[in-house]
Amino acid sequence: MEFEEIYATYWQKIFRLCMGYVNDYDQAQDLAQETFITVWEQLPKLRNGSIVGTWIFRIASNNCLRQIRKEKRYPKAELPIYLVNENRIDIEPKIQLLHKCISELPEIDRIIISLELENIKQAEIAKIVGLSEANIRVKIHRIKERLTQKFKENGQ
């Protein structure tokens, strides 16, 4: 598979996965871009027969987790109001709320539900996160219950 084809196929999915982690449009774009830089650099090393999607999602998840850990060590200050970019694409309010709710979940739950929302097969999610398929099914059910509760709490 060529890089251009991989990029076209996975960009939106990886971006949404990153949004689920960080709930920040610009930061999600940066993380998605970092993911594809790594994909570009590592593509020649990908073994024939490897599942490209699983590989890319694992790279993206690791990038997001690294970023979250970095932010915990180095809290960021707010930018002055005149530096905030107002040319950002508006995201539908319910989608924003979903990203906000997902970003409040524990790290492993964020990756699981983000992959589930991308219609990744549960067997593949299990390989990406290193859990059994049965455990993934249970976790997805519980995560959905928690997200439903958060939506109810927010009047949705």
Side-chain angles (χ1 to χ4, degrees):
M1 194 175 228
E2 295 293 322
F3 178 78
E4 292 79 12
E5 184 181 352
I6 292 170
Y7 186 87
T9 302
Y10 290 98
W11 170 258
Q12 288 295 323
K13 293 175 182 184
I14 295 301
F15 172 75
R16 287 189 299 263
L17 175 76
C18 295
M19 270 300 283
Y21 267 98
V22 296
N23 193 31
D24 178 275
Y25 184 87
D26 293 329
Q27 193 175 18
Q29 277 198 313
D30 289 346
L31 287 166
Q33 198 62 41
E34 286 175 31
T35 297
F36 283 98
I37 289 170
T38 303
V39 168
W40 171 261
E41 292 170 344
Q42 300 297 320
L43 191 58
K45 297 177 185 175
L46 183 65
R47 289 177 276 131
N48 288 341
S50 293
I51 300 173
V52 175
T54 303
W55 178 65
I56 292 171
F57 281 114
R58 183 167 288 170
I59 292 169
S61 299
N62 288 337
N63 283 344
C64 291
L65 290 172
R66 254 191 312 279
Q67 181 63 32
I68 290 166
R69 289 183 188 117
K70 194 184 310 179
E71 285 178 3
K72 285 179 182 174
R73 281 186 297 213
Y74 307 106
K76 61 183 176 185
E78 290 297 316
L79 288 174
I81 193 73
Y82 59 88
L83 291 178
V84 176
N85 183 358
E86 296 177 11
N87 295 330
R88 197 177 299 203
I89 298 171
D90 287 331
I91 299 175
E92 186 179 327
K94 284 188 178 183
I95 300 296
Q96 282 180 325
L97 178 59
L98 177 62
H99 287 302
K100 179 183 179 301
C101 292
I102 290 173
S103 72
E104 294 170 356
L105 293 170
E107 290 173 4
I108 193 74
D109 292 352
R110 275 185 256 178
I111 183 67
I112 291 169
I113 197 63
S114 295
L115 293 170
E116 173 73 7
L117 290 170
E118 290 302 326
N119 295 318
I120 305 300
K121 293 181 177 134
Q122 290 180 359
E124 198 170 334
I125 295 172
K127 288 178 188 173
I128 291 169
V129 298
L131 296 172
S132 72
E133 200 172 334
N135 196 342
I136 293 296
R137 277 192 296 279
V138 171
K139 281 190 163 292
I140 288 171
H141 177 73
R142 290 180 181 160
I143 294 166
K144 286 179 179 179
E145 285 178 340
R146 268 187 266 148
L147 290 175
T148 300
Q149 183 60 39
K150 284 180 182 269
F151 262 69
K152 287 178 183 174
E153 289 169 5
N154 285 288
Q156 298 293 324

